[in-house]
Amino acid sequence: MTTDDGFAFSAHVPVRWSDMDAFGHINHARMVTLMEEARIQWLLSAGEQYQPLITSAMIVNVAIRYQAQLRHSDTPLHVGMWISAYRSVDFTISYEIRGAQTSAASKPACVATTQMAVVDIEKHTLRRLSPDEKAHLAAWSRS
């Protein structure tokens, strides 16, 4: 299931003035927060059925590659996301981030991934994805 722009989910995240650094572009640490805001929009859109997946997922790795600067004037950021991989206990969300005025066909200013592991919250151990969760993650892949 993909949106009109080819992503499993697209979010528009406003850039706050406090997201800028001394060089006038979005600070790296703030980019991680902006990605989180987009990811939360997506995960909350999954519905009640997938609440156990959402509440048990924790970040184990974040990778970001900048290809152009993003500034306050690029608000709101367009964040396209999809599931690029999933295994027995984790899944990876991929991101393409562009400024508001940038075409979806253009090179993204930022590409990133977030690897999420699923845990049994009570036992504090990794847990396996259920077949239903895997099917849901597969539906969120990019066609």
Side-chain angles (χ1 to χ4, degrees), residues 46 53 68 93 105 123 129:
L53 173 63
I93 301 172
K123 294 179 183 175
L129 289 162

Side-chain angles (χ1 to χ4, degrees), residues 11-59:
H12 292 90
V13 181
V15 177
R16 297 166 295 266
W17 189 254
S18 61
D19 294 331
M20 311 313 296
D21 64 15
F23 299 106
H25 57 255
I26 297 174
N27 174 278
H28 172 72
R30 296 299 185 121
M31 181 59 75
V32 174
T33 301
L34 295 168
M35 289 167 46
E36 176 184 40
E37 291 176 20
R39 184 174 61 252
I40 289 169
Q41 286 181 37
W42 184 17
L43 294 176
L44 290 178
S45 77
E48 298 282 325
Q49 178 182 4
Y50 296 101
Q51 220 39 36
L53 173 63
I54 294 160
T55 58
S56 68
M58 67 177 210
I59 295 173

Side-chain angles (χ1 to χ4, degrees), residues 1 22 31-32 39 51 58-59 89 95 105 115 117 130 132 143:
M1 89 180 116
M31 181 59 75
V32 174
R39 184 174 61 252
Q51 220 39 36
M58 67 177 210
I59 295 173
V89 297
Y95 307 77
Q115 182 185 13
S130 72
D132 194 38
S143 306

Side-chain angles (χ1 to χ4, degrees), residues 69-88:
Q69 292 185 14
L70 288 167
R71 300 178 177 280
H72 188 266
S73 59
D74 292 314
T75 195
L77 297 180
H78 176 262
V79 184
M81 296 170 279
W82 69 97
I83 299 297
S84 56
Y86 62 91
R87 301 181 303 177
S88 60

